[in-house]
Amino acid sequence: MLRDPSTKYRPFPVIDIPDRTWPSKTITRAPRWLSTDLRDGNQALIDPMDAEKKTRFFDLLVKVGLKEIEVGFPSAGATEFDFISGLIRDGRIPDDVAIQVLTQSRRDLIERSFESLDGATTAIVHLYNAVSPAWRKIVFGMTRAEVKQIAIDGAKVLRDEAAKRPNTRWQFEYSPETFSTAELDFSVEVCEAVMDVLQPTPDAPIIFNLPATVECATPNVYADQIEWFGRHIRNRDAVVISLHTHNDRGTGVAAAELGMMAGADRVEGCLLGNGERTGNCDLVTVALNMYTQGVDPQLDLSDIDAVVKTVEYATNITVHPRTPYAGELVFTAFSGSHQDAIKKGFAAQAARNDDLWEVPYLPIDPADLGRSYEAVIRVNSQSGKGGVAWVLEQDKGLKLPKRLQADFSRHVQALADETSRELNAADIFGAFERAYLPGEADRFVLRDYEENGPAGDRVFVGRLAIDGEERSISGRGNGLISGVIAALADSTGPTLDVVDYSEHAIGHGAGAQAVAYLECRTADGRTVWGVGIDTDIATASVRAVLSAANRT
């Protein structure tokens, strides 16, 4: 890398709009969406999609709610042409969906594109040619006038080919390709020359796509370009301004959002951002960003995992686990402090009297996208007591008292350090069983018991296996738990003082169980915990006392 990059690279010039309005705007409604997955996205693949994959992807786009879909580049070859004409022939295009094809501004390619659309009810033909100085000078060796004439000639072919097919409702789109690095006045000049040929009206507007073919500036500059174009193009009410951002600087989504604020009407991109180089605008991210602001994006992303599955199958590209909204881990917390905040957020959410979403670290409710809450918190060596407690509650219905959470987290931490991997729900409950739940290998194992006597003077009589030997023990107390503790103290068991006790049901109905949590202090001042689970709450309490005794 150069110590002085200014000797090789120039800063992108700013746009002179002292009274720009977009910084104070907000996005309040969904744009027209265009999916370019089957064209721009497909061109970016090492192995382009075959007809079966493109068909499956097309069906997904329709299911999600896309009303405009760029289905291919028909002049590129037989595979593209046959897929497009097959969609029409097989009646796969819903009445409210317009397919779109792309063509360079050459007569033979435009004519071939129209042929692929024969029989379509509604179709958009997208014409383009590059207009920026670098392309004029380096790629084409043409003057401004010559480049503009290419656009004019192409527009005339569009007009004439459409006239030959009056049974199709035609829409036209023109892209001054490389708009983001072209002179704004020249982009407007070329677009108006195309308008002179096609004669758009407010009822039949032309789409002007203003692509950041290569993202070369911060997204605010792109927004300025869009606002400038919208102010200067004539007959604005007969023009649909469309955005097609790329992600070379990593701000394709931001550029699209600011471009909408600057007055654009339409957004082009791929569902999960696939596209040439670093990708196109990620439509899922833009749409769900709007959703989190209370704006209906008019796309159905309620089964985000199905979207991911189809995109991965069709493109053979794995969606990164940290991809916004769609990634496997985007709603998952491993950090202890994050887990604690999320756990408290869900508890507060359940206690609210309204539907407003307010959970720390989760800008959107995962359930809205078809994700389960079980995956929100996962446990590894970085996790805390709140995360462990959340997993137990979600998986087993156990609502651990806070001090028990702290006690149990030590066991989980030791297991995580020992295994050096993520711990699943089975791992965590296994550790909980070993730490607190009575087993046959314990010193005190309950076989049977009974309780009698008046309130405040109860007698516990139990049959236990103590150190493997069956014995009967008894004790008197003001309740069941104190009676068990007294019986143990009289039978060479430990002396326990109850510090805290809590219980709750697990599940509902006749098959529900109960769990009892018992915090005790031993004669030497140590704290031990006992947990008991049974269909009968009294028996669960007895098991909790024995569990605590076994922990001494």
Side-chain angles (χ1 to χ4, degrees), residues 471-544:
R471 294 177 55 183
S472 292
I473 64 172
S474 64
R476 185 183 299 273
N478 60 8
L480 177 59
I481 291 175
S482 59
V484 180
I485 289 175
L488 287 172
D490 292 342
S491 308
T492 69
T495 299
L496 299 173
D497 287 326
V498 176
V499 176
D500 189 42
Y501 172 85
S502 61
E503 63 185 44
H504 66 80
I506 304 175
H508 304 280
Q513 290 186 303
V515 58
Y517 307 104
L518 188 67
E519 181 183 7
C520 295
R521 186 170 292 111
T522 64
D524 58 0
R526 290 184 297 117
T527 295
V528 292
W529 281 90
V531 181
I533 299 176
D534 198 271
T535 54
D536 175 65
I537 185 57
T539 303
S541 300
V542 174
R543 294 187 184 281

Side-chain angles (χ1 to χ4, degrees), residues 358-381:
E358 190 176 19
V359 176
Y361 295 112
L362 294 179
I364 192 172
D365 185 350
D368 287 358
L369 305 182
R371 292 276 176 87
S372 66
Y373 292 146
E374 283 79 358
V376 169
I377 290 176
R378 289 161 58 176
V379 175
N380 61 17
S381 61

Side-chain angles (χ1 to χ4, degrees), residues 241-256:
I241 294 180
S242 190
L243 309 175
H244 185 114
T245 60
H246 281 256
N247 204 40
D248 300 274
R249 293 172 55 93
T251 57
V253 166

Side-chain angles (χ1 to χ4, degrees), residues 376-406:
V376 169
I377 290 176
R378 289 161 58 176
V379 175
N380 61 17
S381 61
Q382 304 299 305
S383 303
K385 62 181 184 299
V388 173
W390 167 270
V391 172
L392 274 181
E393 181 175 348
Q394 296 297 307
D395 185 57
K396 297 296 182 181
L398 298 173
K399 302 176 183 178
L400 273 56
K402 286 188 176 181
R403 289 195 294 274
L404 179 55
Q405 293 177 23

Side-chain angles (χ1 to χ4, degrees), residues 191-345:
C191 287
E192 290 184 343
V194 170
M195 291 175 74
D196 289 339
V197 174
L198 298 177
Q199 296 294 306
T201 66
D203 293 331
I206 188 171
I207 302 168
F208 283 140
N209 178 40
L210 306 179
T213 306
V214 179
E215 187 178 42
C216 294
T218 50
N220 62 296
V221 173
Y222 184 66
D224 281 345
Q225 292 173 322
I226 299 303
E227 181 162 339
W228 196 98
F229 184 95
R231 289 187 183 190
H232 289 83
I233 192 74
R234 73 166 184 263
N235 300 335
R236 176 65 176 88
D237 60 350
V239 170
V240 173
I241 294 180
S242 190
L243 309 175
H244 185 114
T245 60
H246 281 256
N247 204 40
D248 300 274
R249 293 172 55 93
T251 57
V253 166
E257 291 179 326
L258 298 189
M260 282 191 282
M261 293 159 60
D265 310 292
R266 188 174 185 253
V267 174
E268 306 184 6
C270 294
L271 281 186
L272 291 170
N274 180 40
E276 294 171 306
R277 300 182 308 281
T278 55
N280 285 191
C281 175
D282 182 333
L283 297 187
V284 169
T285 298
V286 176
L288 292 179
N289 282 352
M290 294 170 55
Y291 184 83
T292 66
Q293 304 303 300
V295 178
D296 179 7
Q298 298 182 13
L299 296 179
D300 182 2
L301 299 169
S302 59
D303 190 354
I304 196 68
D305 290 335
V307 172
V308 171
K309 182 179 180 180
T310 300
V311 171
E312 289 184 331
Y313 166 75
T315 64
N316 201 30
I317 295 175
T318 301
V319 174
H320 194 282
R322 298 296 181 185
T323 299
Y325 303 108
E328 179 187 359
L329 298 178
V330 295
F331 301 126
T332 301
F334 291 101
S335 161
S337 60
H338 289 208
Q339 292 173 341
D340 181 64
I342 291 171
K343 183 173 180 292
K344 291 175 179 175

